Amino acid sequence: MSEALSPPRGRGDAERLRHSLAQALQAGRWQPGEKLPTERALGTQYGMARNTVRRALDALEAEGLIHRHVGRGTFRTGAAAETAPACPPLPLEQAEAFGPAEVVECRLAFEPELVAMAVARASPADLARMEACWQQAEAAADLAAFEHWDGALHDAIAVATHNRAAMALSRSLARVRLQAEWGALKARGATPARRAALQRQHRAIIDALRQRDRAAARGAMRAHILYVQRYMFEEEEG
């Protein structure tokens, strides 16, 4: 067992566990994409309650060191996502309690202006990060992987604003993706045709950013979120 994984003295708290796990992650204990132990296993190993472990993992996810999928587990973040600067979500302790419908409504008001802000500020590295996320989503083998890279693309757009408040708010809203209800709603509409449509919309957003076309970027983002809102929450035709 690597020294990076040796438990901190005593029971400690979420911050001490976060620090210990961050050191292990940065030392390469888990490779990009590798699955970490379960919350229960980490709690047993470190002698901590699961809610303490969960708070530590929340902080690591906010820092971009890990990502979590409902029903699949916790994974070491891949290289593309690691390039984004750390910016923790707003301290909204009940962020996960927001319903998917109200979060999508909020995104409809927020993200078109977010992408418009990014048009003038996105660096070549920001644009490369978006492209990498799009490519990973295109190659995703299942819905969970596609959802991860979909979320990573939206996060890369927020990062491209170079506005810490915008990044934090975007990441706080994105926490709803951890909900089982969100996963069920997305799975219900996860047809190959809809996935292809989402990728076309993502491509239009990235292209507008590359062309520094604020009106096109704003319009493409609005159309994208309206599309998501329709297929997640409206009744199927027929």
Side-chain angles (χ1 to χ4, degrees):
M1 184 70 69
S2 168
E3 291 183 2
L5 272 179
S6 56
R9 295 179 182 177
R11 290 181 60 84
D13 57 15
E15 173 55 27
R16 289 172 60 189
L17 177 58
R18 181 210 64 78
H19 180 71
S20 182
L21 290 174
Q23 285 187 320
L25 288 160
Q26 291 163 352
R29 170 63 183 83
W30 295 282
Q31 296 303 306
E34 185 177 352
K35 189 174 182 179
L36 274 66
T38 64
E39 290 180 1
R40 185 184 300 277
L42 288 171
T44 298
Q45 180 177 345
Y46 288 95
M48 295 185 182
R50 287 186 67 180
N51 64 339
T52 302
V53 174
R54 192 170 297 121
R55 287 197 300 273
L57 294 177
D58 284 345
L60 291 170
E61 186 171 37
E63 293 173 26
L65 291 174
I66 62 170
H67 63 269
R68 289 179 286 180
H69 293 302
V70 175
R72 293 184 63 209
T74 301
F75 299 84
R76 175 73 162 98
T77 301
E82 288 175 3
T83 60
C87 181
L90 294 175
L92 303 175
E93 295 182 358
Q94 301 302 316
E96 297 94 333
F98 297 159
E102 60 187 344
V103 168
V104 172
E105 284 183 349
C106 186
R107 288 180 59 192
L108 185 59
F110 174 62
E111 291 195 46
E113 297 309 313
L114 184 82
V115 75
M117 187 189 307
V119 165
R121 302 180 182 183
S123 68
D126 292 327
L127 294 169
R129 187 179 304 125
M130 294 176 208
E131 185 65 34
C133 292
W134 190 92
Q135 294 288 350
Q136 291 284 355
E138 189 73 2
D142 55 32
L143 176 62
F146 181 80
E147 269 289 286
H148 168 67
W149 290 109
D150 180 330
L153 172 58
H154 283 271
D155 186 69
I157 292 168
V159 168
T161 66
H162 297 273
N163 180 305
R164 291 182 300 166
M167 281 186 268
L169 180 56
S170 178
R171 288 175 178 179
S172 291
L173 292 174
R175 290 171 68 87
V176 76
R177 287 175 179 267
L178 300 176
Q179 288 186 9
E181 183 184 0
W182 176 275
L185 287 167
K186 290 301 290 284
R188 185 181 66 182
T191 65
R194 280 179 172 151
R195 177 166 159 174
L198 291 171
Q199 282 294 83
R200 287 194 299 272
Q201 293 159 16
H202 289 154
R203 171 51 56 196
I205 293 166
I206 296 170
D207 289 348
L209 281 159
R210 285 191 182 280
Q211 294 160 12
R212 307 294 179 179
D213 188 331
R214 181 170 291 155
R218 184 186 285 118
M221 181 63 81
R222 178 173 173 78
H224 169 59
I225 298 175
L226 283 170
Y227 178 81
V228 171
Q229 185 180 53
R230 282 196 302 272
Y231 87 71
M232 284 183 69
F233 304 111
E234 291 184 2
E235 294 294 328
E236 296 286 345
E237 295 182 359

